[in-house]
Amino acid sequence: MQKLNFPTYSFRFKNSENKISIFDCLRKKFVILQPEEWVRQHCVLYLIQEKKYPKSHINVEKELIVNDLKKRYDIVVFNTDGSIHLIVECKAPTVTINQSTFNQIAQYNQVLNANYLMVTNGINHYYCQMDFENKRFDFLKDIPTYN
């Protein structure tokens, strides 16, 4: 897998039936290593190790209903009161982050109401804070560290 624009982390890998899997520390199981999963696993460790978010506040790959359609978010970070602090949308490194990517995470946020959004393809990262009053998001240099 290609080098991403994240700190270097160590991962556990497994090869089974010529498929490489990576260990997901949140789901506590090996998952097939696809390019998007490579980005997701880096992002999870970035949130835990660099941004100090507790593992217990992070959830990955869960279903949600958006306009009567079943969708799956990549990563969500919860506040202690159960509200959603952050949604992360991960794309493969070869996928260009564009308006449709932001439209996707904005649709998810209509249901989830997160304060912060992050979109990444592992190379480029974009961070936003929601301004619910004016129905827009403001771009940030980074997401806040857990406090």
Side-chain angles (χ1 to χ4, degrees), residues 5-129:
N5 190 10
F6 281 105
T8 302
Y9 300 113
S10 59
F11 296 99
R12 288 173 47 201
F13 298 99
K14 175 173 87 171
N15 192 343
S16 177
E17 298 173 17
N18 288 329
K19 290 194 171 151
I20 297 174
S21 296
I22 187 169
F23 188 77
D24 182 319
C25 68
L26 298 175
R27 291 179 272 189
K28 294 181 174 50
K29 67 178 185 177
F30 282 93
V31 292
I32 301 294
L33 182 57
Q34 301 287 344
E36 184 178 312
E37 191 63 44
W38 183 236
V39 173
R40 184 171 24 254
Q41 292 305 315
H42 275 80
C43 195
V44 164
L45 289 185
Y46 173 76
L47 293 171
I48 294 167
Q49 294 184 18
E50 314 310 321
K51 293 298 174 179
K52 308 300 181 200
Y53 288 100
K55 280 186 191 180
S56 61
H57 290 220
I58 304 171
N59 206 318
V60 293
E61 285 274 287
K62 293 286 189 231
E63 189 176 275
L64 74 153
I65 306 295
V66 179
N67 300 327
D68 296 326
L69 298 172
K70 290 182 180 180
K71 303 285 186 180
R72 289 182 84 76
Y73 61 71
D74 285 307
I75 304 170
V76 161
V77 178
F78 292 92
N79 292 308
T80 51
D81 66 2
S83 64
I84 296 177
H85 177 71
L86 167 72
I87 305 171
V88 182
E89 180 59 31
C90 300
K91 298 293 183 191
T94 55
V95 175
T96 303
I97 305 292
N98 56 25
Q99 187 61 49
S100 73
T101 314
F102 283 99
N103 292 347
Q104 179 184 2
I105 199 168
Q107 274 190 324
Y108 293 177
N109 207 32
Q110 287 177 336
V111 175
L112 299 173
N113 295 312
N115 294 318
Y116 295 93
L117 309 177
M118 176 180 173
V119 176
T120 181
N121 62 4
I123 307 301
N124 299 301
H125 316 300
Y126 299 93
Y127 312 98
C128 307
Q129 182 172 13

